[in-house]
Amino acid sequence: MRTLYLDCFSGISGDMFIGALIDAGGDSTFLEEELQKLNISEEYKLSWRKVVKNGISSTKFDVELSETADHKYASGHQHNHKHEDEDEDEDVDHNHEHEHEHEHEHSDHHEHSHHHGHRAYQDIVKLIDGSQLSQKVKETSLNIFRKIGEAEGLIHGVSLEKVHFHEVGAVDSIIDIVGASILINKLEIQKIKSSPVCVGAGKVHIDHGIYPIPAPATLEILKGVPLQQSNIKSELTTPTGAAIVSVLSEEFCTVPSMTVQSVGYGAGTKDFEKHPNVLRVIIGEEA
């Protein structure tokens, strides 16, 4: 059985996951072509490159909002999501502020209502359902979004239908989730297993005040998932990463008995002194 094992010793985010799958042999050209089926390609640009994290060559995947997507939105949240210990470690995934902040209902959301990135849960469902993507890719993507939507709704006390993804609905996170589903399908992964998930430590400063890590939505999404202690003062696991590992992993364990076929490393944004900030994936054949 073709198995994908996620080694989340430095947490997981959507872009780390895609970077790791590309690094392990995922078809990046096919990924780009399939994502065009969402019909939002004028809103973003994809890039990926090799970087070295504490001696480990890894792939850094980025989704950049295009000029078409209101530039104010792309840059407007840079100051909203900072760690209390500014001189310590900020977000592991700082180019994805949109993704991190989604768990907080923004009082300023009306500023963004005209922007492509401001999408309600139902808008995202329609976008994915109405695309020419394969049924399997659609199902996987919608399962992941539903997980985030339910956590969002629970925390804010609203029904799933009323959940608005002011940030996680932004283009970068739609691409991360649908892209993850495309690559898993293309790589013909039959089973996904994961290590316990490292979430980081410390506090994070968000619109509603200072919260402990993991932030409320991330923690809600990770219910039932074994967490791993860490003394790294940074938010290592994002809501999108949490939803991917929570929805897709059938088992949480150490590396399973398998014949390894490929290994990939997906890079996070931050650098830590003695800790490679990467997600490691192992693809192989289980007996």
Side-chain angles (χ1 to χ4, degrees), residues 88-253:
E88 294 247 0
D89 303 317
E90 291 178 20
D91 256 309
V92 80
D93 198 8
H94 233 276
N95 56 336
H96 277 209
E97 278 87 356
H98 319 317
E99 181 171 289
H100 293 312
E101 292 174 356
H102 82 276
E103 61 263 37
H104 327 297
E105 280 199 315
H106 288 292
S107 54
D108 64 345
H109 71 263
H110 60 275
E111 288 177 40
H112 308 314
S113 57
H114 60 288
H115 178 262
H116 301 298
H118 178 276
R119 288 181 166 105
Y121 173 75
Q122 290 171 311
D123 296 332
I124 295 168
V125 171
K126 280 180 199 155
L127 180 74
I128 295 168
D129 260 342
S131 73
Q132 297 298 306
L133 289 161
S134 77
Q135 201 51 43
K136 210 169 175 184
V137 168
K138 286 181 186 179
E139 278 171 24
T140 305
S141 304
L142 291 171
N143 285 343
I144 296 168
F145 264 112
R146 186 178 183 90
K147 186 79 173 175
I148 300 173
E150 285 172 347
E152 224 2 272
L154 193 71
I155 284 161
H156 295 306
V158 297
S159 65
L160 188 59
E161 292 67 37
K162 291 187 178 162
V163 167
H164 275 246
F165 291 92
H166 307 306
E167 275 74 34
V168 90
V171 178
D172 51 358
S173 298
I174 292 173
I175 296 304
D176 281 347
I177 288 170
V178 177
S181 308
I182 289 166
L183 287 175
I184 288 162
N185 197 45
K186 177 68 172 169
L187 285 162
E188 298 179 332
I189 302 298
Q190 295 165 287
K191 186 177 275 192
I192 298 177
K193 297 184 176 184
S194 174
S195 68
V197 177
C198 205
V199 291
K203 295 191 169 101
V204 63
H205 192 175
I206 53 183
D207 283 3
H208 295 296
I210 295 164
Y211 279 77
I213 291 170
T218 307
L219 188 57
E220 186 61 39
I221 291 164
L222 290 171
K223 272 184 183 170
V225 173
L227 305 184
Q228 186 182 324
Q229 191 180 12
S230 167
N231 56 7
I232 292 173
K233 289 201 173 162
S234 187
E235 184 179 39
L236 298 180
T237 294
T238 67
T240 298
I244 288 171
V245 73
S246 172
V247 169
L248 301 182
S249 295
E250 294 177 38
E251 188 184 334
F252 293 89
C253 54

